[in-house]
Amino acid sequence: MTTLKGYVEKNDREFEWKSKPGACDTCKVLNGTSYTLKKDIPDKPHPNCKCKVENNFKVDDEDGDKRENKRSARDKAKDTLIKLKKRQKLKDALKIVFDDNLKYSKENLEVYAAQFAKRAIDIAMGGLNVRYLNKINDAKELWKIASHNFNQSKNYIKQNGMVVLKVADFPAKDLRNIIKEKLIEQLGVEDAPGVIFSPGSNLSQGIMYSKEFQQHIKKNLPELIKGRVIEKASTYFGSDENLKLALGHADILYTTFDKNGNLYSFILDTYDFNKDDRDIKVKMAYLTQKTGIIRNYYTVNVIFMPSYLVRSFF
């Protein structure tokens, strides 16, 4: 028979009897019994006994914390090494992507970046609208029209105006060529869908009461009073955050008084982004435009200022 003998120094070990399934009654009684000294461990009670005595370390809380900290430090070092390796792989991949001989890789990277930019702007526009107490809703909705290809803005468009799928379908025939020229100049295409905003829409009302539009009227008032039509003026709507984000630079195509002293005007803008703009948000939006992630279109705002408002303003 085998007996484990000896003494464990510093009392940092203990021995535990482990009985196997189907063990005899004697071994079952011994199962789980712990011994500090090897000499205390009993002999195996019978030949061919398959029970084992396991050698366990006893660890106090302080030592356990130290070992856990050591393990944590090792794990952190290992994680850092993995991240560094991944970063190097990314750098190597970027070198390949930006290799002029692999143009398709650059295009793929641009598409991924554009998709990320689109999601970021979606979130940012929603956040800005909350920040400005829903006062830039038009800017948010115009972005949504572009980023979701008109699919998520049907209610907004219905409440504020209408969609024109082709320039040839634009109601005012005398403006069709002007719109087509604008599309060629800004977007490089002869045709695109458009959104016509009615005089009562929030965006058209915002334009009518804006500082820039009223300056336009004051500047041209003598000619307007004579019955002349003011054509193809341009302005930057920067005094109002909603107009700045929704329109920015826009063309005032046509401004005139009717025989009753009511003022009519049409504001044309293409929904597109300038690649040379310094604003990071515009740069991101331009990337989505360049890769075809968003849909470019044009807007026409119909302005109607009744004569009593004209008299009160001017």
Side-chain angles (χ1 to χ4, degrees), residues 202-218:
N202 185 69
L203 190 57
S204 293
Q205 289 285 303
I207 292 171
M208 185 178 73
Y209 285 101
S210 70
K211 175 183 175 182
E212 292 81 8
F213 185 73
Q214 293 195 18
Q215 286 177 341
H216 168 71
I217 301 303
K218 287 180 181 178

Side-chain angles (χ1 to χ4, degrees), residues 116-130 140 143:
F116 171 81
K118 175 183 171 294
R119 289 194 294 270
I121 296 172
D122 283 341
I123 295 169
M125 291 303 288
L128 280 172
N129 197 32
V130 172
K140 183 193 76 173
W143 165 257

Side-chain angles (χ1 to χ4, degrees), residues 45-109:
H46 55 81
N48 299 320
C49 179
K50 296 182 179 179
C51 297
K52 292 183 179 180
V53 177
E54 293 186 352
N55 184 352
N56 299 324
F57 281 92
K58 292 195 299 183
V59 181
D60 60 26
D61 291 342
E62 184 177 352
D63 290 339
D65 290 342
K66 288 179 181 178
R67 291 179 186 175
E68 186 61 34
N69 290 337
K70 286 181 180 179
R71 280 195 293 272
S72 297
R74 279 199 306 272
D75 291 342
K76 287 179 181 178
K78 185 177 180 181
D79 291 342
T80 302
L81 183 60
I82 292 172
K83 288 179 181 178
L84 289 173
K85 287 181 178 179
K86 287 183 178 179
R87 192 175 299 171
Q88 185 58 47
K89 287 182 180 179
L90 177 60
K91 288 180 180 179
D92 293 341
L94 288 175
K95 287 179 183 178
I96 296 173
V97 167
F98 285 108
D99 187 339
D100 289 335
N101 296 323
L102 295 174
K103 186 177 180 181
Y104 69 92
S105 296
K106 292 173 67 176
E107 291 172 352
N108 287 342
L109 182 64

Side-chain angles (χ1 to χ4, degrees), residues 162-215:
M162 61 181 290
V163 173
V164 178
L165 296 178
K166 297 180 180 179
V167 175
D169 296 332
F170 192 82
K173 294 182 180 180
D174 55 334
L175 295 182
R176 290 174 186 172
N177 286 335
I178 297 174
I179 294 172
K180 187 180 292 186
E181 290 172 3
K182 182 72 173 178
L183 290 174
I184 294 171
E185 177 188 351
Q186 293 296 116
L187 304 179
V189 297
E190 292 187 357
D191 207 354
V195 181
I196 303 174
F197 287 89
S198 66
S201 66
N202 185 69
L203 190 57
S204 293
Q205 289 285 303
I207 292 171
M208 185 178 73
Y209 285 101
S210 70
K211 175 183 175 182
E212 292 81 8
F213 185 73
Q214 293 195 18
Q215 286 177 341

Side-chain angles (χ1 to χ4, degrees), residues 6-15 34-38 40 55-60 63 67:
Y7 177 75
V8 181
E9 293 183 0
K10 296 185 180 178
N11 219 23
D12 62 346
R13 296 172 185 265
E14 66 177 17
F15 301 88
S34 297
Y35 307 92
T36 302
L37 302 176
K38 288 183 181 180
D40 295 332
N55 184 352
N56 299 324
F57 281 92
K58 292 195 299 183
V59 181
D60 60 26
D63 290 339
R67 291 179 186 175

